[in-house]
Amino acid sequence: QSALAQPPSASGSPGQSVTISCTGTSSDIGGNKYVSWYQQHPGKAPKLMIYEVSKRPSGVPDRFSGSKSGNTASLTVSGLQAEDEADYYCSSYVGSNKFIFGSGTKVTVL
Amino acid sequence: QLQLQESGPGLVKPSETLSLTCTVSGGSITNSNYYWGWIRQPPGKGLEWVASIYYSGSAYYNPSLKSRVTISVDTSKNQFSLRLSSVTAADTAVYYCARRPDTVGHFDYWGQGSLVTVSS
């Protein structure tokens, strides 16, 4: 199964919003509510930012929000801050205790 | 606070077997509310789910790696392990261990990662 499709890069100025898309199929994103997003700074482990499409773990700022429409999920970062500059990966459960990740998007704060 | 720590050789020769162990501290690997997994990331590339296991030993594998991967759990040591056979340069990656709460589809705690290089 191929990786979920994400744009390689996205950017915005401080205070602006940026939205990242994650496109899959009816077998993954379109087929269940278990879509999650991870933030990864260089040399660090991924950090869970969004789970079950739109839920935020404790401690994640509400500037981060998620949504889904059909086979495409989206992550929006509002009020961009310098520390939001990182790689972002989407992920989907595909059944039978198996998972698939996205190709990753590098977010640059201009 | 839960912590996961990967350990194992940083260099493996081509055609040999890669072996990594994840030690869990601050929580029990036999907690029935969690699965435990491995995710890898080749240098400069994206994440790839490798395998997951339940404390009972039920194992789940990425179909693209299934013929070469074995995941196991040692409840007495609060550890779980990964073995990947017949490695090639394409298996060079940072390998992360992580926890997945049961009934959900995400990984909430991750180890810091362990770089494994396949080279002669």
CSV table of all heavy atoms in Angstrom, one decimal, chain B residues 54-82:
chain,number,residue,atom,x,y,z
B,54,TYR,N,0.9,-7.1,20.8
B,54,TYR,CA,0.1,-7.0,22.1
B,54,TYR,C,0.9,-7.8,23.1
B,54,TYR,O,1.7,-8.7,22.8
B,54,TYR,CB,-1.3,-7.6,21.9
B,54,TYR,CG,-2.3,-7.2,23.0
B,54,TYR,CD1,-2.5,-5.9,23.3
B,54,TYR,CD2,-3.0,-8.2,23.6
B,54,TYR,CE1,-3.5,-5.6,24.3
B,54,TYR,CE2,-4.0,-7.9,24.5
B,54,TYR,CZ,-4.2,-6.6,24.9
B,54,TYR,OH,-5.1,-6.3,25.8
B,55,TYR,N,0.7,-7.5,24.4
B,55,TYR,CA,1.5,-8.2,25.4
B,55,TYR,C,1.3,-9.7,25.4
B,55,TYR,O,2.2,-10.5,25.8
B,55,TYR,CB,1.2,-7.7,26.8
B,55,TYR,CG,-0.1,-8.2,27.4
B,55,TYR,CD1,-0.2,-9.3,28.3
B,55,TYR,CD2,-1.4,-7.6,27.1
B,55,TYR,CE1,-1.3,-9.7,28.8
B,55,TYR,CE2,-2.5,-8.0,27.6
B,55,TYR,CZ,-2.5,-9.1,28.5
B,55,TYR,OH,-3.7,-9.6,29.0
B,56,SER,N,0.2,-10.2,24.9
B,56,SER,CA,-0.1,-11.6,24.8
B,56,SER,C,0.7,-12.3,23.7
B,56,SER,O,0.8,-13.5,23.7
B,56,SER,CB,-1.6,-11.8,24.5
B,56,SER,OG,-1.9,-11.3,23.2
B,57,GLY,N,1.3,-11.5,22.8
B,57,GLY,CA,2.2,-12.0,21.7
B,57,GLY,C,1.5,-11.9,20.4
B,57,GLY,O,2.2,-12.2,19.4
B,58,SER,N,0.3,-11.4,20.3
B,58,SER,CA,-0.4,-11.3,19.0
B,58,SER,C,0.4,-10.2,18.2
B,58,SER,O,0.6,-9.1,18.7
B,58,SER,CB,-1.8,-10.8,19.2
B,58,SER,OG,-2.6,-11.8,19.8
B,59,ALA,N,0.8,-10.5,17.0
B,59,ALA,CA,1.7,-9.7,16.2
B,59,ALA,C,1.1,-9.3,14.9
B,59,ALA,O,0.3,-10.1,14.3
B,59,ALA,CB,3.0,-10.4,16.0
B,60,TYR,N,1.4,-8.1,14.4
B,60,TYR,CA,0.9,-7.6,13.2
B,60,TYR,C,2.0,-6.9,12.4
B,60,TYR,O,2.8,-6.2,13.0
B,60,TYR,CB,-0.2,-6.5,13.5
B,60,TYR,CG,-1.2,-7.1,14.5
B,60,TYR,CD1,-1.1,-7.0,15.8
B,60,TYR,CD2,-2.4,-7.8,14.0
B,60,TYR,CE1,-2.0,-7.5,16.7
B,60,TYR,CE2,-3.3,-8.3,14.9
B,60,TYR,CZ,-3.1,-8.2,16.3
B,60,TYR,OH,-4.0,-8.7,17.1
B,61,TYR,N,2.0,-7.2,11.1
B,61,TYR,CA,3.2,-6.8,10.3
B,61,TYR,C,2.8,-6.0,9.1
B,61,TYR,O,1.7,-6.2,8.5
B,61,TYR,CB,4.0,-8.0,9.8
B,61,TYR,CG,4.5,-8.8,11.0
B,61,TYR,CD1,4.0,-10.1,11.3
B,61,TYR,CD2,5.6,-8.4,11.7
B,61,TYR,CE1,4.5,-10.8,12.4
B,61,TYR,CE2,6.2,-9.1,12.7
B,61,TYR,CZ,5.6,-10.3,13.1
B,61,TYR,OH,6.1,-11.1,14.1
B,62,ASN,N,3.7,-5.1,8.7
B,62,ASN,CA,3.5,-4.4,7.4
B,62,ASN,C,3.6,-5.4,6.3
B,62,ASN,O,4.7,-6.1,6.2
B,62,ASN,CB,4.6,-3.3,7.2
B,62,ASN,CG,4.4,-2.4,6.0
B,62,ASN,OD1,4.1,-2.9,4.9
B,62,ASN,ND2,4.7,-1.2,6.1
B,63,PRO,N,2.6,-5.5,5.4
B,63,PRO,CA,2.7,-6.6,4.4
B,63,PRO,C,4.0,-6.5,3.5
B,63,PRO,O,4.5,-7.6,3.1
B,63,PRO,CB,1.5,-6.3,3.5
B,63,PRO,CG,0.5,-5.6,4.5
B,63,PRO,CD,1.4,-4.8,5.4
B,64,SER,N,4.5,-5.3,3.3
B,64,SER,CA,5.7,-5.2,2.5
B,64,SER,C,7.0,-5.7,3.1
B,64,SER,O,8.0,-6.0,2.5
B,64,SER,CB,5.9,-3.7,2.1
B,64,SER,OG,6.3,-3.0,3.2
B,65,LEU,N,6.9,-5.9,4.4
B,65,LEU,CA,8.1,-6.4,5.2
B,65,LEU,C,7.8,-7.8,5.9
B,65,LEU,O,8.8,-8.3,6.4
B,65,LEU,CB,8.5,-5.4,6.3
B,65,LEU,CG,8.9,-4.0,5.8
B,65,LEU,CD1,9.0,-3.0,7.0
B,65,LEU,CD2,10.2,-4.0,5.0
B,66,LYS,N,6.6,-8.2,5.8
B,66,LYS,CA,6.2,-9.4,6.6
B,66,LYS,C,7.1,-10.6,6.5
B,66,LYS,O,7.4,-11.3,7.5
B,66,LYS,CB,4.8,-9.8,6.2
B,66,LYS,CG,4.2,-10.9,7.1
B,66,LYS,CD,2.7,-11.1,6.8
B,66,LYS,CE,2.1,-12.2,7.7
B,66,LYS,NZ,0.7,-12.4,7.5
B,67,SER,N,7.6,-10.9,5.3
B,67,SER,CA,8.5,-12.1,5.1
B,67,SER,C,9.8,-12.0,5.9
B,67,SER,O,10.5,-13.0,6.1
B,67,SER,CB,8.7,-12.3,3.6
B,67,SER,OG,9.4,-11.3,3.1
B,68,ARG,N,10.2,-10.8,6.3
B,68,ARG,CA,11.5,-10.6,6.9
B,68,ARG,C,11.5,-10.1,8.3
B,68,ARG,O,12.5,-10.1,9.0
B,68,ARG,CB,12.3,-9.6,6.1
B,68,ARG,CG,12.6,-10.0,4.6
B,68,ARG,CD,13.7,-9.1,4.0
B,68,ARG,NE,13.2,-7.7,3.9
B,68,ARG,CZ,13.9,-6.6,4.3
B,68,ARG,NH1,15.0,-6.8,4.9
B,68,ARG,NH2,13.4,-5.4,4.1
B,69,VAL,N,10.3,-9.8,8.8
B,69,VAL,CA,10.2,-9.2,10.2
B,69,VAL,C,9.6,-10.1,11.2
B,69,VAL,O,8.7,-10.9,10.9
B,69,VAL,CB,9.3,-7.9,10.1
B,69,VAL,CG1,9.1,-7.3,11.4
B,69,VAL,CG2,9.9,-6.9,9.2
B,70,THR,N,10.1,-10.0,12.4
B,70,THR,CA,9.6,-10.7,13.6
B,70,THR,C,9.6,-9.7,14.7
B,70,THR,O,10.6,-9.1,15.0
B,70,THR,CB,10.4,-11.9,14.0
B,70,THR,OG1,10.5,-12.8,12.9
B,70,THR,CG2,9.7,-12.6,15.2
B,71,ILE,N,8.4,-9.5,15.4
B,71,ILE,CA,8.3,-8.7,16.6
B,71,ILE,C,8.0,-9.7,17.7
B,71,ILE,O,7.2,-10.6,17.6
B,71,ILE,CB,7.3,-7.6,16.4
B,71,ILE,CG1,7.3,-6.6,17.6
B,71,ILE,CG2,5.9,-8.2,16.2
B,71,ILE,CD1,6.4,-5.4,17.4
B,72,SER,N,8.6,-9.4,18.9
B,72,SER,CA,8.3,-10.3,20.0
B,72,SER,C,8.3,-9.4,21.3
B,72,SER,O,8.7,-8.3,21.3
B,72,SER,CB,9.4,-11.3,20.1
B,72,SER,OG,10.7,-10.7,20.3
B,73,VAL,N,7.8,-10.0,22.4
B,73,VAL,CA,7.6,-9.3,23.6
B,73,VAL,C,8.2,-10.2,24.8
B,73,VAL,O,8.1,-11.4,24.8
B,73,VAL,CB,6.1,-8.9,23.9
B,73,VAL,CG1,5.3,-10.2,24.0
B,73,VAL,CG2,6.0,-8.0,25.1
B,74,ASP,N,8.9,-9.5,25.7
B,74,ASP,CA,9.4,-10.2,26.9
B,74,ASP,C,8.8,-9.4,28.1
B,74,ASP,O,9.4,-8.4,28.5
B,74,ASP,CB,11.0,-10.1,26.9
B,74,ASP,CG,11.6,-10.9,28.0
B,74,ASP,OD1,10.9,-11.1,29.1
B,74,ASP,OD2,12.7,-11.3,27.9
B,75,THR,N,7.7,-10.0,28.6
B,75,THR,CA,7.1,-9.3,29.7
B,75,THR,C,7.9,-9.3,31.0
B,75,THR,O,7.7,-8.3,31.8
B,75,THR,CB,5.7,-10.0,30.0
B,75,THR,OG1,5.9,-11.3,30.3
B,75,THR,CG2,4.8,-9.8,28.8
B,76,SER,N,8.8,-10.2,31.2
B,76,SER,CA,9.6,-10.3,32.4
B,76,SER,C,10.6,-9.1,32.5
B,76,SER,O,11.0,-8.7,33.5
B,76,SER,CB,10.3,-11.6,32.5
B,76,SER,OG,11.3,-11.7,31.5
B,77,LYS,N,11.0,-8.6,31.3
B,77,LYS,CA,11.9,-7.5,31.2
B,77,LYS,C,11.2,-6.2,30.8
B,77,LYS,O,11.9,-5.2,30.7
B,77,LYS,CB,13.0,-7.8,30.2
B,77,LYS,CG,13.9,-9.0,30.6
B,77,LYS,CD,15.0,-9.3,29.5
B,77,LYS,CE,15.9,-10.4,29.9
B,77,LYS,NZ,16.9,-10.7,28.9
B,78,ASN,N,9.9,-6.2,30.6
B,78,ASN,CA,9.2,-5.0,30.1
B,78,ASN,C,9.8,-4.5,28.8
B,78,ASN,O,10.0,-3.3,28.7
B,78,ASN,CB,9.2,-3.9,31.2
B,78,ASN,CG,7.8,-3.3,31.4
B,78,ASN,OD1,6.8,-4.0,31.2
B,78,ASN,ND2,7.8,-2.0,31.7
B,79,GLN,N,10.0,-5.4,27.9
B,79,GLN,CA,10.7,-5.1,26.6
B,79,GLN,C,9.9,-5.7,25.5
B,79,GLN,O,9.3,-6.8,25.6
B,79,GLN,CB,12.1,-5.6,26.6
B,79,GLN,CG,13.1,-4.9,27.6
B,79,GLN,CD,14.4,-5.6,27.6
B,79,GLN,OE1,14.6,-6.7,27.2
B,79,GLN,NE2,15.4,-4.8,28.0
B,80,PHE,N,10.0,-5.1,24.3
B,80,PHE,CA,9.6,-5.8,23.1
B,80,PHE,C,10.7,-5.6,22.1
B,80,PHE,O,11.5,-4.6,22.2
B,80,PHE,CB,8.3,-5.3,22.6
B,80,PHE,CG,8.1,-3.9,22.2
B,80,PHE,CD1,8.1,-3.5,20.9
B,80,PHE,CD2,8.0,-2.9,23.2
B,80,PHE,CE1,7.9,-2.2,20.6
B,80,PHE,CE2,7.8,-1.6,22.9
B,80,PHE,CZ,7.8,-1.2,21.6
B,81,SER,N,10.8,-6.5,21.1
B,81,SER,CA,12.0,-6.5,20.2
B,81,SER,C,11.5,-6.6,18.7
B,81,SER,O,10.4,-7.1,18.4
B,81,SER,CB,12.9,-7.6,20.6
B,81,SER,OG,13.4,-7.5,21.9
B,82,LEU,N,12.5,-6.2,17.9
B,82,LEU,CA,12.3,-6.3,16.4
B,82,LEU,C,13.5,-7.0,15.8
B,82,LEU,O,14.6,-6.8,16.2
B,82,LEU,CB,12.2,-4.9,15.8
B,82,LEU,CG,12.0,-4.8,14.3
B,82,LEU,CD1,10.6,-5.2,13.9
B,82,LEU,CD2,12.3,-3.4,13.8
